């Protein structure tokens, strides 16, 4: 067996691929992914996957006893709406439009028995994660804007053929590996970069075996966040740690191995040997579990991303787990009354975002009927964002005329 080199794909990228596959992603060899893009580096959606999944997850409710399917023309229209979002007003504005399509769906008219009605096409089944399909590919070559050159992000995660997360991997022995990974993300988002891919991405991850950071679009390096799991008990902590350990050491299928090592057989023996060993999880494994597990990724995208005054923001781990804990508290009823509590924030730690995300979580909680939520804000832009956020919950927002 050859001595393992310290390339990114050997030290960080391949172990990350293995973890992601064990988390539930199906591996697509870059050549297979390119074929699903009609052989064009300018295409970023896996259209055959998307078209097939749109047909499977969308049903038109005609009556209490009858349903129908979207027409092929409407499926094509839905895909076209997702593909042709304009960046004339900037790529963050384009990203927001895509986010609205993904979370709210696309209204399309269809004639049923001569009666034309409007139905909403959903791109992702947010309520039933198992109804979606999840893929991961590597070295995803994308044409740069106004150039014949391409950039190649290390790993891209797809839900129903839509690229929702981009991961850059760096080997740990180089100088400031995470800073280099973040720099690559930021370079890719420049006007001459691959914004056509990034406008679909909801989470961006940078990992380097022993380190990691995450963010969303246009986030300056200093605001890329650390991730860690928070636990309610030692028992829960032990359970999650054991789960990640099992995922780390779970053998890949022979089919996945064959595809992954098709173009690099020289390192296959080393990674096959890892399957037979007991390998402790690295910090990057906890990042991948915490941010990229299929159900966690969907939860993050739908519930923990906001657009605020032209900026796209994603929750930090403290906000994520505080909201989860607060919701468990609100569910409790003692003496006919729900339990309350306080989430303490320091200045500049994201109080407004936590407030909006928690309100949304309460509105979407099926066990809480007809909640009344009063939010006090100090920014017009946040008022507008709240209205958009609650549209996902089918809840009307009433704004006070004065204070």
């Amino acid at each position: 067996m050859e001595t393992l080199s310290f390339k990114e794909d050997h030290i960080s990228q391949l172990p990350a691929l293995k973890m992601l596959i064990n988390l539930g992603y199906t591996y697509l060899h870059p050549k297979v992914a390119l074929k699903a893009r009609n052989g064009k580096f300018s295409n970023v959606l896996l259209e055959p996957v998307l078209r097939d999944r749109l047909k499977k997850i969308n049903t038109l409710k005609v009556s209490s006893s009858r349903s129908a399917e979207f027409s092929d023309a409407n499926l094509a229209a839905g895909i076209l709406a997702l593909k042709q979002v304009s960046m004339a007003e900037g790529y963050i504005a384009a990203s927001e439009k895509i986010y609205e399509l993904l979370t709210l769906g696309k209204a399309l008219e269809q004639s049923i028995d001569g009666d034309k009605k409007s139905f909403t096409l959903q791109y992702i089944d947010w309520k039933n994660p198992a109804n979606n399909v999840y893929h991961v590919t590597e070295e995803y070559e994308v044409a740069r804007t106004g150039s014949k050159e391409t950039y190649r992000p290390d790993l891209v995660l797809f839900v129903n053929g839509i690229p929702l997360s981009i991961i850059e991997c760096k080997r740990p022995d180089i100088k400031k590996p995470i800073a280099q990974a973040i720099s690559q993300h930021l370079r890719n988002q420049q006007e001459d970069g691959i914004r056509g891919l990034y406008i679909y991405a909801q989470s961006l991850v940078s990992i380097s075996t022993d380190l990691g950071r995450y963010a969303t679009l246009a986030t300056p390096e200093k605001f890329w966040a650390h991730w860690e799991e928070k636990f309610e008990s030692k028992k829960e902590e032990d359970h999650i740690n054991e789960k990640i350990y099992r995922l780390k050491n779970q053998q890949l299928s022979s089919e996945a191995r064959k595809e992954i090592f098709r173009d690099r057989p020289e390192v296959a023996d080393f990674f096959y040997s890892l399957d037979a060993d007991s390998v402790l999880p690295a910090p990057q494994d906890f990042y991948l579990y915490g941010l990229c597990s299929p159900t966690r990724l969907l939860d993050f995208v739908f519930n923990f991303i906001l657009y605020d005054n032209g900026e796209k923001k994603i929750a930090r781990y403290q906000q994520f787990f505080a909201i989860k804990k607060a919701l468990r508290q609100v569910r409790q009823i003692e003496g006919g009354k729900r339990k309350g509590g306080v989430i303490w924030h320091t200045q500049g730690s994201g109080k407004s975002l936590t407030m909006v995300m928690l309100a949304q979580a309460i509105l979407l909680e099926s066990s809480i009927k007809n909640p009344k939520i009063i939010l006090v804000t100090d920014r017009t832009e946040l008022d507008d964002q709240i209205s958009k956020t609650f549209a996902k919950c089918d809840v009307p927002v009433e704004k006070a005329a004065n204070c």
Side-chain angles (χ1 to χ4, degrees):
M1 183 180 72
E2 293 185 15
T3 302
L4 183 68
S5 75
F6 278 84
K7 292 181 179 179
E8 276 91 9
D9 65 338
H10 295 173
I11 295 299
S12 179
Q13 188 169 315
L14 281 172
L17 264 179
K18 180 185 176 185
M19 174 60 74
L20 290 164
I21 292 167
N22 288 339
L23 282 169
Y25 291 87
T26 299
Y27 177 74
L28 290 181
H29 188 279
K31 291 179 182 177
V32 176
L34 184 58
K35 186 177 180 181
R37 301 157 66 191
N38 200 26
K40 296 180 179 180
F41 293 134
S42 56
N43 292 340
V44 299
L45 300 176
L46 307 178
E47 289 189 42
V49 176
L50 178 56
R51 186 178 296 104
D52 176 73
R53 198 41 44 178
L54 289 181
K55 201 162 191 175
K56 285 184 168 65
I57 68 173
N58 286 283
T59 302
L60 308 183
K61 195 73 173 177
V62 180
S63 66
S64 58
S65 59
R66 186 178 166 220
S67 60
E69 294 182 344
F70 274 105
S71 65
D72 289 342
N74 267 338
L75 293 179
I79 294 173
L80 194 63
L82 198 60
K83 283 180 63 177
Q84 294 190 338
V85 172
S86 171
M87 282 196 273
E89 296 180 10
Y91 84 112
I92 297 300
S95 167
E96 184 172 8
K97 176 60 178 175
I98 287 170
Y99 184 77
E100 290 173 358
L101 284 170
L102 294 179
T103 55
L104 300 176
K106 171 68 175 174
L108 296 166
E109 286 191 343
Q110 185 158 319
S111 187
I112 305 291
D113 297 332
D115 185 15
K116 185 176 285 188
K117 293 183 179 179
S118 179
F119 299 93
T120 300
L121 179 79
Q122 297 292 346
Y123 296 94
I124 294 172
D125 190 336
W126 301 101
K127 296 180 180 179
N128 304 289
N131 287 342
N132 306 297
V133 293
Y134 306 88
H135 292 94
V136 57
T137 192
E138 58 183 325
E139 303 300 326
Y140 196 64
E141 198 166 357
V142 179
R144 294 174 59 187
T145 303
S147 172
K148 294 182 180 179
E149 296 180 352
T150 59
Y151 282 153
R152 296 187 301 177
D154 291 333
L155 301 173
V156 179
L157 305 183
F158 297 85
V159 179
N160 297 346
I162 305 166
L164 289 193
S165 185
I166 304 173
I167 304 170
E168 288 291 344
C169 309
K170 292 295 177 186
R171 68 181 199 244
D173 64 319
I174 64 175
K175 185 178 180 180
K176 296 183 178 180
I178 294 301
Q180 288 196 32
I182 293 172
S183 176
Q184 213 159 312
H185 276 297
L186 296 176
R187 177 206 67 179
N188 291 350
Q189 295 175 67
Q190 298 303 307
E191 286 188 22
D192 63 348
I194 51 174
R195 287 180 170 178
L197 170 65
Y198 273 75
I199 57 174
Y200 294 95
Q202 306 304 319
S203 69
L204 308 178
V205 182
S206 294
I207 52 175
S208 177
T209 308
D210 296 328
L211 298 168
R213 290 292 184 271
Y214 75 101
T216 190
L217 301 193
T219 304
E221 181 185 342
K222 65 180 180 179
F223 292 123
W224 280 62
H226 166 66
W227 175 264
E228 64 180 69
E229 295 287 315
K230 305 300 290 183
F231 309 101
E232 291 295 299
S233 65
K234 184 65 167 60
K235 182 179 179 181
E236 182 188 14
E237 182 178 4
D238 291 342
H239 171 72
I240 296 298
N241 287 339
E242 174 62 25
K243 184 176 181 180
I244 296 173
Y245 178 85
R246 290 197 308 269
L247 289 166
K248 177 74 172 180
N249 290 281
Q250 181 179 313
Q251 292 189 9
L252 294 175
S253 69
S254 58
E255 182 181 356
R257 286 179 175 182
K258 180 181 178 182
E259 285 296 287
I260 289 173
F261 296 107
R262 187 202 297 187
D263 300 328
R264 48 192 170 206
E266 73 281 358
V267 296
D269 288 345
F270 175 82
F271 284 94
Y272 289 171
S273 71
L274 287 185
D275 279 345
D277 297 336
S278 295
V279 182
L280 291 175
Q284 79 170 32
D285 297 309
F286 287 86
Y287 269 79
L288 296 173
Y289 175 84
L291 295 166
C292 301
S293 302
T295 52
R296 179 66 68 79
L297 178 61
L298 293 190
D299 189 10
F300 244 107
V301 173
F302 194 87
N303 296 309
F304 295 93
I305 286 177
L306 291 175
Y307 290 81
D308 180 18
N309 196 24
E311 294 182 354
K312 187 172 185 178
K313 299 180 179 180
I314 190 169
R316 298 169 180 160
Y317 80 88
Q318 298 97 326
Q319 293 169 310
F320 181 87
F321 288 107
I323 290 166
K324 295 291 186 183
K325 189 170 184 177
L327 191 58
R328 288 195 293 273
Q329 178 85 343
V330 171
R331 287 196 196 103
Q332 298 181 51
I333 300 177
E334 293 182 1
K337 296 183 178 180
R338 296 191 183 276
K339 297 190 71 174
V342 174
I343 301 177
W344 183 264
H345 287 71
T346 56
Q347 186 174 0
S349 60
K351 296 182 290 295
S352 297
L353 265 63
T354 304
M355 175 180 69
V356 175
M357 291 172 180
L358 176 57
Q360 175 181 255
I362 292 171
L363 290 167
L364 292 172
E365 173 55 46
S366 59
S367 67
I368 302 175
K369 305 299 182 183
N370 300 318
K372 181 181 289 185
I373 300 171
I374 300 173
L375 301 178
V376 181
T377 71
D378 59 357
R379 301 202 312 277
T380 302
E381 295 86 356
L382 191 57
D383 282 350
D384 295 337
Q385 175 57 55
I386 289 169
S387 299
K388 291 181 180 179
T389 298
F390 290 169
K392 292 189 292 183
C393 315
D394 291 324
V395 173
V397 175
E398 295 183 12
K399 295 183 180 181
N402 51 63
C403 297

